[in-house]
Amino acid sequence: DTGVSQDPRHKITKRGQNVTFRCDPISEHNRLYWYRQTLGQGPEFLTYFQNEAQLEKSRLLSDRFSAERPKGSFSTLEIQRTEQGDSAMYLCASSRTNLAGFTYEQYFGPGTRLTVT
Amino acid sequence: AQRVTQPEKLLSVFKGAPVELKCNYSYSGSPELFWYVQYSRQRLQLLLRHISRESIKGFTADLNKGETSFHLKKPFAQEEDSAMYYCALPNYGGSQGNLIFGKGTKLSVKP
């Protein structure tokens, strides 16, 4: 296992099109996170899963965004009817938690850079 | 609301000089804090976390609850330390899953 992977690494799309990104976490990690990063900003939280359950969504995640993690393995993030403001780096991270709820460090993927023209 | 502030966008030092990257947070309890680093063309990776109290690559960070700070320090900067540095705090207001990041500080170490 070489770490968290994301596909594609780059995506250019026209405004109004739908896009889907994939994240493959480290295999034994039960938590998976999506963040968005724009120029000059740190990563901003979008949503996260514990196993297959989506436990939290930020207000940044408008109704055009949807995320899934079927079977608690890989995850997809879909953006419908893309807008120019969606242009950003989309980061995926994974971590594990123990039975006491302690969360170990988050490992990040390389990101998917989305450009909406 | 919880917030992480990194007041410097860019910090430029010469090799061998001491480095201090500032991080202030807003949270009333006892937080766990993190420093992440992103080297050029690499992914974001954990540099150190408060709870482990480890020194990684010569960097240390001390939590100062009175000043609500978690500044990152290194006594002698190396050129390979040039990178983006992000301070992060768990979101205790939510389900404690995600991290809240600062905007980052770009460290440039000149030869």
Side-chain angles (χ1 to χ4, degrees):
Chain A
D1 194 330
T2 56
V4 179
S5 61
Q6 292 186 245
D7 183 71
R9 296 290 303 277
H10 303 273
K11 179 70 177 179
I12 300 174
T13 191
K14 292 185 177 179
R15 187 178 52 166
Q17 298 295 304
N18 299 343
V19 294
T20 300
F21 310 141
R22 177 181 171 122
C23 171
D24 286 89
I26 294 172
S27 56
E28 64 268 25
H29 285 184
N30 56 350
R31 285 198 173 181
L32 186 149
Y33 311 80
W34 286 99
Y35 292 86
R36 182 175 73 181
Q37 187 172 23
T38 53
L39 198 62
Q41 302 292 322
E44 296 173 294
F45 170 69
L46 292 177
T47 188
Y48 90 94
F49 295 83
Q50 178 146 322
N51 301 312
E52 65 276 10
Q54 189 173 16
L55 295 189
E56 189 164 352
K57 295 189 280 188
S58 91
R59 68 189 193 298
L60 291 177
L61 210 69
S62 76
D63 55 8
R64 296 185 296 105
F65 287 68
S66 62
E68 294 183 340
R69 192 184 182 196
K71 303 178 184 177
S73 55
F74 71 92
S75 175
T76 58
L77 178 68
E78 181 183 16
I79 309 175
Q80 295 183 325
R81 305 180 303 281
T82 52
E83 301 173 356
Q84 288 188 322
D86 297 332
S87 295
M89 178 73 86
Y90 289 84
L91 299 171
C92 177
S94 70
S95 70
R96 60 187 177 96
T97 56
N98 63 16
L99 292 176
F102 178 83
T103 302
Y104 296 85
E105 71 171 276
Q106 293 187 23
Y107 289 82
F108 282 81
T112 295
R113 182 169 295 284
L114 173 66
T115 303
V116 182
T117 62
Chain B
Q2 290 177 235
R3 185 174 299 143
V4 175
T5 303
Q6 293 180 251
E8 303 138 329
K9 279 189 176 180
L10 174 66
L11 184 63
S12 187
V13 301
F14 286 102
K15 176 183 173 181
V19 170
E20 182 178 67
L21 298 164
K22 291 183 167 51
C23 171
N24 288 89
Y25 64 91
S26 60
Y27 177 63
S28 56
S30 295
E32 164 145 38
L33 285 150
F34 302 81
W35 276 100
Y36 277 80
V37 61
Q38 187 167 27
Y39 300 103
S40 179
R41 301 183 188 280
Q42 294 187 26
R43 63 185 67 190
L44 202 58
Q45 58 186 283
L46 181 68
L47 180 62
L48 58 82
R49 66 191 296 178
H50 163 244
I51 196 170
S52 65
R53 299 189 180 278
E54 290 180 336
S55 171
I56 307 295
K57 298 186 179 183
F59 284 97
T60 58
D62 290 317
L63 178 63
N64 185 323
K65 293 181 186 177
E67 295 183 357
T68 59
S69 68
F70 189 58
H71 302 329
L72 184 69
K73 299 177 184 179
K74 185 170 182 177
F76 307 104
Q78 303 299 314
E79 289 180 69
E80 55 265 30
D81 296 328
S82 296
M84 281 294 299
Y85 291 81
Y86 295 94
C87 184
L89 169 75
N91 180 8
Y92 293 103
S95 59
Q96 301 186 32
N98 62 289
L99 294 173
I100 298 170
F101 286 85
K103 292 186 178 183
T105 297
K106 183 175 182 177
L107 175 63
S108 175
V109 182
K110 299 178 181 178

